[in-house]
Amino acid sequence: MKNEVDNERVKLKFLIITLIGILLIGLIIGISLLVTLSNYIFISLFFINYVFMILVCFLLKIFYKNFSNKPNIKTIVSLFGRFAIAILAIGLTFLFLYLTKNVSKPNIFYIFISPIMLTGGYILGIIFK
């Protein structure tokens, strides 16, 4: 029993270190784009989707922790929550680009930040389940 608790703590520790690493990489890229090109879009979308990436990761951990043959409320909330988060993240990304009038050709490619970050959250949730 104690070994399982220690194993969970080690996994959570590595997950937090990985999330901090992703945050630092995003900050470096965003600040360098902001300083060199005066482009605030990447850093804004990164922070919007970073929160959703963390939520997806922890909802996937909850799903694997509570999964059984009988459906229970935590697994159902995790399933529908991940679906709602994906739609919300992509919708907020589109809304941000639309409201800042950046739906033109070179800036529309920032829309790929949302699926990349959500996929990263799924991968982290599977690795550190």
Side-chain angles (χ1 to χ4, degrees):
M1 185 73 167
K2 186 177 185 225
N3 193 17
E4 289 180 21
V5 173
D6 290 338
N7 193 17
E8 284 293 320
R9 285 186 180 170
V10 169
K11 282 183 180 180
L12 186 62
K13 181 179 166 183
F14 282 126
L15 177 63
I16 291 173
I17 290 171
T18 305
L19 289 173
I20 291 172
I22 291 171
L23 178 67
L24 290 176
I25 291 170
L27 276 174
I28 290 170
I29 293 170
I31 291 173
S32 64
L33 285 173
L34 184 65
V35 169
T36 57
L37 302 174
S38 298
N39 192 346
Y40 61 90
I41 300 170
F42 179 84
I43 199 161
S44 300
L45 290 177
F46 177 79
F47 279 120
I48 290 171
N49 289 298
Y50 184 74
V51 173
F52 292 123
M53 181 186 77
I54 292 172
L55 288 174
V56 164
C57 178
F58 284 110
L59 281 176
L60 199 59
K61 283 179 66 74
I62 290 171
F63 176 76
Y64 279 117
K65 186 177 180 182
N66 296 309
F67 184 75
S68 65
N69 288 338
K70 295 183 282 184
N72 58 15
I73 191 70
K74 289 183 180 180
T75 58
I76 293 170
V77 168
S78 175
L79 285 171
F80 287 115
R82 287 183 284 139
F83 180 70
I85 285 172
I87 290 175
L88 186 64
I90 293 170
L92 285 176
T93 302
F94 272 122
L95 183 66
F96 178 81
L97 289 173
Y98 177 74
L99 291 177
T100 56
K101 296 176 179 51
N102 288 310
V103 191
S104 60
K105 178 75 179 224
N107 292 332
I108 195 66
F109 294 116
Y110 285 112
I111 196 68
F112 291 119
I113 292 173
S114 184
I116 290 171
M117 297 278 297
L118 291 175
T119 303
Y122 276 104
I123 291 171
L124 287 176
I126 290 171
I127 290 173
F128 295 107
K129 60 181 173 181

